Amino acid sequence: MDIPPGNLQRVVIVGGGFAGIELAKQLHNRFQVVLIDKNNFHPFQPLLYQVATAGVEPDSVVFPLRKIFSGYREFYFRLTEAQEILPGKNILVTPIGDLQYDYLVLATGSDTNFFGMKETQKFSLAMKTVREALDLRSCILQNFEMALIVPDMEKKQALMNYVIVGGGPTGVELAGALAELRKHVLPNDYPELDLMKMEIHLVDTGARLLGTMDERSSLKAEKFLRDMGVDVLLNTRITGYDGKTATTDTGKMFSCATLIWAAGVKGVPLKGIPENALLPNGRIKVDAFGKVNG
């Protein structure tokens, strides 16, 4: 990988998210730091929903990793992916070469968890990356363009219906942003469509939205969304989606061309992590110091 040897111990950080960047800053001048990521920019994930609903442009939520660490000594960035860990040899395997390390830090974040629902995964949209947010933005605009020319009223309605699965921060923000689009933007852009018929359904398995937050936040978020015309369904689980119809465990069905999945995350462990350190959801068991078991 052409990283020059130095007098300092080498820390390899996999992942240029919030954790990886902050750690690299803290280790400056104390270690040789090598940061690897599959993108050469840091995406500010909390605002991806704004990119998806055309509230901001993508260049407003990304920042070049090299610019963050400009002027740092003994810092190296490489654009690549981690493939495997060889813990007995302290080697990280990547497509551009092997990398020896003294310490390896996994800050790879998470991936969308569809809980084994392969058909739903095939036909729904996720929103974990800038690319996925742009795909969703494009999908929303294409739906309304198509709704203008489709003669079949059922298909027209399905193109204007949106089902969002997951009542966490991402789902709540998306539902609110879509409701604001429906009220303030789309009527001007698509005056020929009856936007009052546009349906936004937010479905969550829990008893309240934003389940990990204070109950007052949950109640305020739910009231705001309902006042904006969002159909909030709690204690409800999506059981399937075939690209046309979403089914639930309560028997309720939604005809929709777009289902957005924001219902959960899973870990992204690397090959080489001991099997007894892995949990079914991809999380990694660690000790009190964050070190991988074994």
Side-chain angles (χ1 to χ4, degrees):
M1 203 177 286
D2 198 25
I3 305 293
N7 296 325
L8 299 175
Q9 287 185 302
R10 177 181 293 166
V11 178
V12 176
I13 303 172
V14 183
F18 292 116
I21 288 173
E22 186 60 29
L23 178 63
K25 288 179 178 179
Q26 295 291 333
L27 297 183
H28 179 49
N29 283 335
R30 297 160 58 195
F31 295 88
Q32 183 191 76
V33 176
V34 182
L35 175 66
I36 75 167
D37 196 285
K38 59 186 177 183
N39 298 306
N40 61 357
F41 57 83
H42 167 69
F44 188 75
Q45 287 189 327
L47 282 182
L48 287 182
Y49 80 98
Q50 288 277 16
V51 175
T53 54
V56 299
E57 293 305 312
D59 57 358
S60 299
V61 301
V62 298
F63 200 82
L65 287 168
R66 292 187 182 278
K67 192 169 183 180
I68 294 174
F69 297 102
S70 176
Y72 275 53
R73 289 175 294 136
E74 289 296 325
F75 173 86
Y76 301 90
F77 172 75
R78 292 295 183 265
L79 182 67
T80 187
E81 292 189 56
Q83 292 179 318
E84 184 179 358
I85 305 166
L86 305 177
K89 300 178 180 179
N90 279 24
I91 289 177
L92 178 69
V93 180
T94 80
I96 62 172
D98 295 351
L99 183 60
Q100 192 88 32
Y101 61 83
D102 293 295
Y103 297 95
L104 177 66
V105 178
L106 302 179
T108 50
S110 59
D111 198 5
T112 303
N113 192 351
F114 287 91
F115 304 100
M117 301 171 64
K118 293 184 179 180
E119 185 180 51
T120 301
Q121 180 176 354
K122 178 181 177 181
F123 291 107
S124 62
L125 294 172
M127 204 189 63
K128 289 287 291 179
T129 66
V130 175
R131 188 174 291 107
E132 289 175 340
L134 288 171
D135 286 344
L136 179 53
R137 177 195 287 200
S138 176
C139 176
I140 291 170
L141 295 176
Q142 288 180 44
N143 282 353
F144 286 107
E145 294 294 344
M146 188 65 67
L148 282 171
I149 59 176
V150 169
D152 185 285
M153 293 306 296
E154 288 188 9
K155 290 183 180 179
K156 186 187 293 285
Q157 183 62 56
L159 286 163
M160 294 197 296
N161 291 348
Y162 291 85
V163 174
I164 302 168
V165 186
T170 300
V172 167
E173 288 166 341
L174 264 176
L178 281 172
E180 288 176 338
L181 272 180
R182 178 177 60 186
K183 184 176 181 180
H184 301 295
V185 178
L186 295 174
N188 295 323
D189 292 349
Y190 298 94
E192 299 161 76
L193 291 174
D194 182 3
L195 273 306
M196 295 299 293
K197 294 182 178 178
M198 176 182 168
E199 297 177 5
I200 305 168
H201 306 280
L202 179 59
V203 183
D204 191 78
T205 56
R208 61 185 177 95
L209 299 177
L210 304 175
T212 59
M213 298 185 183
D214 187 90
E215 191 170 353
R216 291 170 296 179
S217 298
S218 299
L219 294 173
K220 284 185 177 180
E222 183 179 346
K223 183 180 185 305
F224 175 83
L225 291 177
R226 291 191 187 277
D227 289 345
M228 289 287 286
V230 176
D231 177 30
V232 179
L233 293 96
L234 301 174
N235 299 306
T236 304
R237 182 172 62 88
I238 293 291
T239 56
Y241 178 62
D242 61 2
K244 297 179 181 178
T245 304
T247 57
T248 70
D249 59 349
T250 64
K252 190 164 186 177
M253 303 172 70
F254 305 101
S255 176
C256 61
T258 306
L259 183 142
I260 305 164
W261 191 270
V265 295
K266 62 181 179 180
V268 281
L270 289 173
K271 184 179 179 183
I273 296 175
E275 287 189 14
N276 61 5
L278 290 176
L279 297 171
N281 59 3
R283 294 177 186 267
I284 303 171
K285 285 192 252 183
V286 298
D287 64 17
F289 299 95
K291 189 174 181 180
V292 178
N293 281 4

